[in-house]
Amino acid sequence: MEKLAAHCEVRLHEGPLPPTREALLRGVVGCTGILSLLSDRIDAEVMDAAGPQLKVISNFAVGYNNIDVMAARQRGIAVGNTPDVLTDATADIAVALALAVARRMKEAAHDARNGKWMTWEPLGWIGHDLHGKTVGIVGMGRIGTATAKRLHGGWQMSVLYTSRRAKPEVDRQLDAQLVTLDKLLEQADIVSLHVPLTEQTRHLIGANELELMKPSAILVNTSRGEIIDQEALTEALREKQIFGAGLDVTTPEPLPADHPLYDLPNCIILPHIGSATQRARNAMAERAAENILAGIEGKPLPWPVD
Ligand code: NAP
Ligand code: GLV
């Protein structure tokens, strides 16, 4: 805010909740730049409501599925995001979810709090080791690679992955193997999702894919909720078709408090906190502001989306 206020007049949507659609459409009128959150849908209607002087949309996030990039391109509006600076924080959450589900932390903590911790039990709360197992990374980009590095280096896990292109550097460093999605699902003990949400990735993991996974496998999602068919996942977890799931993202967000996924002991849900560290969020703010300032001056954005 300080950086922006030094160079331009800033119109801020106040309050803890996103603007309503009406407030968003009203609020952008006459703006040269829009700094959006991932909860704001910035489509052609919003761009046209802003007016022809709109030059830049800067998302305070690396994912930009909330922005109609094609509509922006058609109107000559630059679009930027905040890559890299949240990679470590988000990969840490992916690993934390994998460990928490593997070691049944939700059940164990709940039982401890609710008087079910009677003694040290040789057979109590038995989970799975990660050491020496196989991780399947769906989308070997920045966060996928950082997650694979942690699990390979820290837990000596073998790495399988899918991506649009092979990653020879990652193959070399992590002894990783590019495979088909089916093979990854059949062989991985942890399946971790890191693809952006696009028309190709929406519901990439549905009932058929869950069926391919091992009964002992764990699904981790820190990308976007819509990558998973959530109804199929709820059923698979209920039926113990897979061991568990760790979700930092859901459909919708927030997930209503009465959603059945919350009641499943083998499912841990976080409120989309992948990048929620002081360092990551400060650096995201810097990048989002720098994108806006460059765009307003008609310069190339330092962090444009692809
Ligand atoms: P990235 O570096 O662009 O990585 C995405 C990877 O997905 C790319 O390597 C790309 O493959 C691959 N991919 C794209 N479409 C694919 C497809 N149809 N099939 C297989 N692979 C595909 O992005 P990132 O920085 O790692 O971020 C990834 C996503 O994480 C973001 O888009 C966002 O939705 C999410 N995210 C969530 C949080 C959170 O708080 N939970 C935080 C940050 C990001 P190629 O390289 O082969 O083209
Ligand atoms: C968070 O989800 C991001 O895309 O930065």
Side-chain angles (χ1 to χ4, degrees):
M1 281 298 292
E2 282 167 16
K3 212 168 209 165
L4 292 176
H7 291 87
C8 34
E9 183 194 325
V10 179
R11 197 180 297 155
L12 176 68
H13 167 73
E14 305 264 8
L17 295 179
T20 61
R21 187 73 182 165
E22 292 69 31
L24 178 63
L25 290 170
R26 227 180 14 253
V28 297
V29 174
C31 288
T32 321
I34 298 175
L35 197 154
S36 49
L37 303 190
L38 55 81
S39 42
D40 303 316
R41 181 162 53 85
I42 308 294
D43 55 14
E45 189 186 16
V46 175
M47 296 172 205
D48 292 340
Q53 76 298 327
L54 181 63
K55 287 188 182 167
V56 55
I57 299 163
S58 169
N59 217 28
F60 185 86
V62 68
Y64 51 87
N65 52 283
N66 56 308
I67 298 175
D68 186 339
V69 177
M70 200 55 84
R73 205 157 278 164
Q74 282 161 359
R75 289 161 177 74
I77 302 165
V79 180
N81 66 347
T82 62
D84 301 314
V85 289
L86 40 46
T87 296
D88 285 326
T90 309
D92 285 348
I93 285 291
V95 172
L97 281 170
L99 269 175
V101 176
R103 298 301 301 272
R104 297 172 60 179
M105 285 192 195
K106 179 177 175 181
E107 273 177 274
H110 177 271
D111 289 351
R113 180 69 189 87
N114 289 285
K116 292 188 181 160
W117 180 15
M118 310 303 282
T119 179
W120 184 87
E121 292 182 43
L123 297 179
W125 302 286
I126 301 289
H128 291 289
D129 286 299
L130 295 192
H131 191 266
K133 300 275 180 63
T134 298
V135 60
I137 301 285
V138 179
M140 193 60 105
R142 290 171 291 243
I143 300 169
T145 303
T147 303
K149 279 186 180 163
R150 281 158 171 72
L151 292 172
H152 182 71
W155 285 266
Q156 283 72 54
M157 292 184 79
S158 305
V159 179
L160 303 177
Y161 69 97
T162 63
S163 227
R164 290 175 302 187
R165 289 175 286 265
K167 312 281 170 186
E169 187 59 29
V170 177
D171 297 355
R172 229 180 349 265
Q173 272 186 13
L174 307 182
D175 199 16
Q177 212 189 329
L178 176 68
V179 295
T180 61
L181 181 61
D182 283 6
K183 184 165 176 192
L184 182 150
L185 294 168
E186 281 163 11
Q187 297 191 356
D189 300 292
I190 305 290
V191 174
S192 193
L193 306 180
H194 301 286
V195 286
L197 176 61
T198 64
E199 284 317 307
Q200 289 74 44
T201 61
R202 191 180 300 277
H203 283 199
L204 188 67
I205 305 297
N208 294 340
E209 289 70 29
L210 290 161
E211 223 162 82
L212 292 176
M213 290 174 67
K214 301 179 189 182
S216 57
I218 291 165
L219 181 63
V220 173
N221 191 7
T222 57
S223 55
R224 286 290 180 264
E226 292 90 335
I227 309 289
I228 298 178
D229 175 346
Q230 208 166 262
E231 274 186 30
L233 176 64
T234 307
E235 195 52 28
L237 289 172
R238 215 181 254 138
E239 296 301 317
K240 298 196 171 62
Q241 194 182 318
I242 63 172
F243 186 74
L247 311 175
D248 186 42
V249 287
T250 58
T251 314
E253 291 189 3
L255 190 68
D258 60 355
H259 195 280
L261 274 177
Y262 285 118
D263 295 329
L264 296 176
N266 54 351
C267 183
I268 296 184
I269 294 174
L270 300 177
H272 203 147
I273 59 167
S275 65
T277 68
Q278 285 194 0
R279 188 164 63 175
R281 289 283 166 86
N282 283 336
M284 289 164 68
E286 294 280 345
R287 289 197 167 190
E290 285 170 31
N291 271 337
I292 283 275
L293 293 177
I296 286 175
E297 288 177 20
K299 295 182 182 159
L301 306 194
W303 296 282
V305 306
D306 271 344

